[in-house]
Amino acid sequence: MKLYSFWRSSASYRVRIALNLKGLAFEYLPVNLTRDGGEQNLPAYRALNPQGRVPLLVDGEFRIAQSLAILDYLESVKPQPALIPADAKQRARVLAFCHAIASDIQPLQNTGPNQYLGKQFGADEAARAAWNRHWIQRGLEVLEQERAASPDTACAFGEAPTWADCVLVPQVYNAERWACDTGKFPRLYALAQRLRVQPAFAAAHPDRQPDAPKQ
């Protein structure tokens, strides 16, 4: 398997976690989203992925984009360890949690929207940071409220990791990156802190990727 990824992409981060949890070896192929207008816009990459985004998973002749679709594919090709519950209601809850982040919160922080805010509306770096903080905090506060009545377990939905944990940890990384008030979602923040030290999560951390800037 090959994974086209960018070190700081939270969508790529969640796929790296899932690959690690599944014990699937993969070749990491960096796509720099910020250098020289973004390598995702180069014709060679667009030929592979017309969406011009990361991550992109290549398995032999098969190519699939979109992180949640990739997670679903990985679940099919290697069912164990399972990262999605078998119970229909619990599965739906996990999916709802994932989509709240992957569809509602995270896209507003992508490189494209942030660049557009600057070019079209003159938003400077401070204004873009405030925009990102607003949407991250608002979204994670809502998820915090939804999880408030649930048992405090080792992972988001029970004692074993699911897609929810793969999606949560990168979003909390983004929250820290944009200096969000993590006190507004203390339970989710504490959970992410516990998860990120586990080997599969730690190995997927942006700072440990080959294309991460050297300190």
Side-chain angles (χ1 to χ4, degrees), residues 31-42:
V31 180
N32 193 304
L33 303 183
T34 59
R35 184 170 56 213
D36 298 329
E39 293 177 350
Q40 72 276 19
N41 296 315
L42 294 175

Side-chain angles (χ1 to χ4, degrees), residues 94-154:
V94 169
L95 285 171
F97 184 97
C98 290
H99 282 292
I101 292 176
S103 301
D104 292 344
I105 304 173
Q106 181 261 322
L108 293 166
Q109 303 134 54
N110 277 348
T111 303
N114 270 257
Q115 290 177 343
Y116 189 77
L117 284 171
K119 292 177 181 177
Q120 190 70 17
F121 302 106
D124 60 13
E125 185 175 347
R128 293 194 297 272
W131 163 276
N132 292 328
R133 278 194 300 273
H134 170 79
W135 293 112
I136 294 171
Q137 289 179 186
R138 180 181 180 275
L140 291 180
E141 279 184 77
V142 171
L143 290 178
E144 177 91 3
Q145 293 168 15
E146 289 183 357
R147 301 298 299 149
S150 302
D152 192 8
T153 50

Side-chain angles (χ1 to χ4, degrees), residues 10-181:
S10 57
S12 300
Y13 188 177
R14 60 181 78 127
V15 171
R16 296 195 299 263
I17 294 170
L19 284 162
N20 293 341
L21 288 169
K22 292 283 186 183
L24 290 167
F26 63 97
E27 180 184 358
Y28 186 105
L29 298 170
V31 180
N32 193 304
L33 303 183
T34 59
R35 184 170 56 213
D36 298 329
E39 293 177 350
Q40 72 276 19
N41 296 315
L42 294 175
Y45 186 69
R46 287 292 179 122
L48 290 172
N49 182 12
Q51 294 180 21
R53 298 181 183 276
V54 292
L56 174 71
L57 184 77
V58 179
D59 187 12
E61 297 299 315
F62 178 71
R63 299 194 302 265
I64 184 69
Q66 294 295 333
S67 61
L68 295 187
I70 294 172
L71 296 190
D72 188 63
Y73 176 73
L74 297 178
E75 202 68 21
S76 297
V77 298
K78 191 175 183 188
Q80 298 299 326
L83 298 182
I84 190 74
D87 176 78
K89 292 179 180 177
Q90 192 74 338
R91 179 187 178 94
R93 291 189 182 103
V94 169
L95 285 171
F97 184 97
C98 290
H99 282 292
I101 292 176
S103 301
D104 292 344
I105 304 173
Q106 181 261 322
L108 293 166
Q109 303 134 54
N110 277 348
T111 303
N114 270 257
Q115 290 177 343
Y116 189 77
L117 284 171
K119 292 177 181 177
Q120 190 70 17
F121 302 106
D124 60 13
E125 185 175 347
R128 293 194 297 272
W131 163 276
N132 292 328
R133 278 194 300 273
H134 170 79
W135 293 112
I136 294 171
Q137 289 179 186
R138 180 181 180 275
L140 291 180
E141 279 184 77
V142 171
L143 290 178
E144 177 91 3
Q145 293 168 15
E146 289 183 357
R147 301 298 299 149
S150 302
D152 192 8
T153 50
C155 298
F157 289 85
E159 299 303 322
T162 66
W163 293 355
D165 304 286
C166 298
V167 172
L168 173 65
V169 168
Q171 188 56 62
V172 169
Y173 169 84
N174 277 355
E176 293 175 326
R177 177 189 170 198
W178 295 110
C180 291
D181 180 2

